[in-house]
Every structure is written in C-alpha cells, then in structure tokens.
Amino acid sequence: MKIKKLKLLKEHNIITDDEYKEKCGVLLKLIDIKQDEINKNETSNLIGDDIIEDNKNNNEDEEEQKIFLKKHELDATNIYSCLYYINGLKVNIKFDRKKKKDKLYWFNISDEYLYGFKRKKADFFIWICGESGDFFVIPNSTMEELVKNAYIDKRDGRKNFNFKIDDNGYYFLPGKIDISEYYKNLKPI
C-alpha cells in the first residue's frame, strides 16, 4: 500500500492517526528490508522479478478499473487497492480478465470488504467479466447472502464463486441463482 493511499484513508477517517503512523512505519521498514534483500541476495533477480510481476498485476488492475470508470462516466476516488468512493459510496471493483468461451468467470471475496474488517466494508461490488463489457453491480447485503454457500479457500479464507453468462440468463454459482437484475445496472451507485 502506498503512503499516499494511507493518507487518503486517514483523511476519510477510515484509519486513525495511530494506524496511519503505524502502517507508514511498517511500510517504510518493509521497503528497506526488501531493498537490503535485493542488494545482498545472489538470487536478487528472482526476488526482483517477483516484485516486478506483483507491481505489473497491480498496475493492470488499476488501469482496468480506470478504464471501466471512465467508460461509464463514474467520478471516483481510489481509497485502497480495488476500493473506490463513488457518489459517497464505497465500491469494490474486481474483474476476471481472462477470455472465456464458456462465459464462466471466477472471483473471490475477502471478509474485510464484505463484513467491514479494517473499515473496508464495501457498499457495492462491481464484478467485471472479462473484456466483453459484461458486469454486475451487487449491493453488499445481497453479496452476503450469495456467498453463504461459496467455497472457502483454506489458505486465505476467501470465498470463491463464479458468474455464468449464457443465452438463458445471468447466474451466480454455486446455486445457479438468477442475478439478472444486477446485470449492467449502475443506477444504485
């Protein structure tokens, strides 16, 4: 997380002054430690490549989010990773960028965005399905219900699920729940 984003979180009272100071200190220490590892370690190229790959994925995510926001003329302020303020609402924007012949898109969600841990609770979620222009805008209360039967990843506790788009409709899996009312519906935000 960048210090600039931490400052914005503090300004919007999402984190306290003490949390801000603590996170900035930890972030700066991690940067120093990583730099030392890169400088001292003979396998620094491998570590460096991992860092570059992580940054590349984060940059691609941010670019995709910006393109979506601009395309749909949404005035947004990025407050943390995939979380934005849009019209006074916290909106989590995620996407599965892979092209799918079967139009089955995989996503996951962490409890911090769903239930509000660390003050990141999203009011809405925008799930972008590939490059096709398909997306769903789903309120938090509905997401809580939908993911009750989702597969929980034992490694990180995230809830995993799919969206299925076909000639018969728009579905949330598991359960093949009809989510047509949320398809490309930006009116709530």
Side-chain angles (χ1 to χ4, degrees):
M1 176 187 292
K2 297 178 184 173
I3 292 177
K4 202 161 70 171
K5 288 182 183 178
L6 285 171
K7 186 175 181 183
L8 187 59
L9 290 171
K10 186 180 98 175
E11 289 172 2
H12 288 285
N13 295 321
I14 294 171
I15 62 173
T16 65
D17 288 339
D18 291 338
E19 289 172 319
Y20 172 77
K21 290 173 187 172
E22 178 186 336
K23 290 178 187 291
C24 284
V26 168
L27 183 61
L28 292 172
K29 286 178 187 173
L30 287 172
I31 290 169
D32 288 342
I33 291 168
K34 268 298 183 200
Q35 191 59 50
D36 287 345
E37 286 178 14
I38 290 170
N39 292 340
K40 293 178 183 175
N41 196 331
E42 289 179 331
T43 60
S44 64
N45 287 340
L46 295 175
I47 294 170
D49 289 346
D50 289 345
I51 292 168
I52 290 167
E53 186 62 32
D54 287 346
N55 288 337
K56 181 181 171 191
N57 289 338
N58 288 341
N59 290 339
E60 286 176 4
D61 291 354
E62 287 177 17
E63 283 305 310
E64 290 287 339
Q65 293 162 355
K66 287 176 187 175
I67 290 167
F68 178 85
L69 292 165
K70 186 175 181 179
K71 179 179 178 181
H72 296 283
E73 299 176 355
L74 296 170
D75 186 25
T77 303
N78 183 244
I79 55 174
Y80 181 80
S81 184
C82 56
L83 193 64
Y84 290 81
Y85 270 123
I86 302 174
N87 297 324
L89 299 168
K90 284 189 246 176
V91 180
N92 184 303
I93 302 175
K94 301 268 292 234
F95 56 92
D96 181 351
R97 71 173 52 92
K98 298 172 186 79
K99 292 182 180 179
K100 311 280 182 154
K101 289 182 183 178
D102 61 2
K103 290 221 169 191
L104 183 68
Y105 300 93
W106 178 87
F107 290 94
N108 67 28
I109 188 170
S110 64
D111 287 346
E112 63 188 348
Y113 294 110
L114 193 60
Y115 303 114
F117 300 135
K118 299 181 184 175
R119 299 186 190 145
K120 294 180 189 171
K121 183 176 182 177
D123 299 306
F124 283 88
F125 296 87
I126 297 177
W127 306 99
I128 303 170
C129 300
E131 298 171 0
S132 62
D134 295 317
F135 65 90
F136 298 90
V137 179
I138 303 177
N140 186 301
S141 57
T142 302
M143 280 308 303
E144 286 182 26
E145 289 300 314
L146 289 172
V147 300
K148 281 186 177 178
N149 295 319
Y151 167 75
I152 298 175
D153 190 319
K154 289 182 173 92
R155 293 172 294 158
D156 60 13
R158 293 176 187 230
K159 294 162 179 63
N160 298 290
F161 55 90
N162 298 95
F163 290 111
K164 174 77 171 162
I165 300 171
D166 64 26
D167 295 336
N168 299 318
Y170 310 99
Y171 303 100
F172 179 90
L173 305 174
K176 200 171 182 185
I177 300 165
D178 183 7
I179 54 170
S180 300
E181 68 183 284
Y182 306 108
Y183 181 70
K184 292 188 178 181
N185 183 7
L186 287 167
K187 290 177 187 173
I189 57 172

